[in-house]
Amino acid sequence: MTTMGIDPAQLSDEDVVRELRQLHATRSDTFFHGSDDALARHTSRTNELEAEYLRRNPDRDVDPYRLREGARERS
């Protein structure tokens, strides 16, 4: 699939985060109720934006409780 909408590389950091939050908020509805084309497009756009976010933030903060060791500590 080709990019629909603005190329993620051309978006500001704030726009990338805003778009990702919106896509994550609408994922369940798209998955359970969207057409096959809508789900495929949702998935590809999410992947594009997540890849761009990770490219810009390779050293992003990672919550230690989101790691395997952190999960073991909570148990």
Side-chain angles (χ1 to χ4, degrees), residues 7-58:
D7 181 345
Q10 296 177 355
L11 296 171
S12 69
D13 290 347
E14 295 80 16
D15 288 338
V16 169
V17 170
R18 187 192 73 245
E19 292 291 321
L20 280 169
R21 289 188 188 285
Q22 179 62 28
L23 284 166
H24 284 262
T26 60
R27 183 62 183 179
S28 291
D29 282 342
T30 304
F31 180 78
F32 288 112
H33 307 292
S35 67
D36 290 345
D37 287 343
L39 180 58
R41 183 64 204 120
H42 197 279
T43 299
S44 66
R45 186 63 173 171
T46 301
N47 290 340
E48 291 169 357
L49 289 161
E50 286 178 347
E52 182 62 23
Y53 180 87
L54 292 173
R55 184 188 70 75
R56 294 181 191 192
N57 300 282

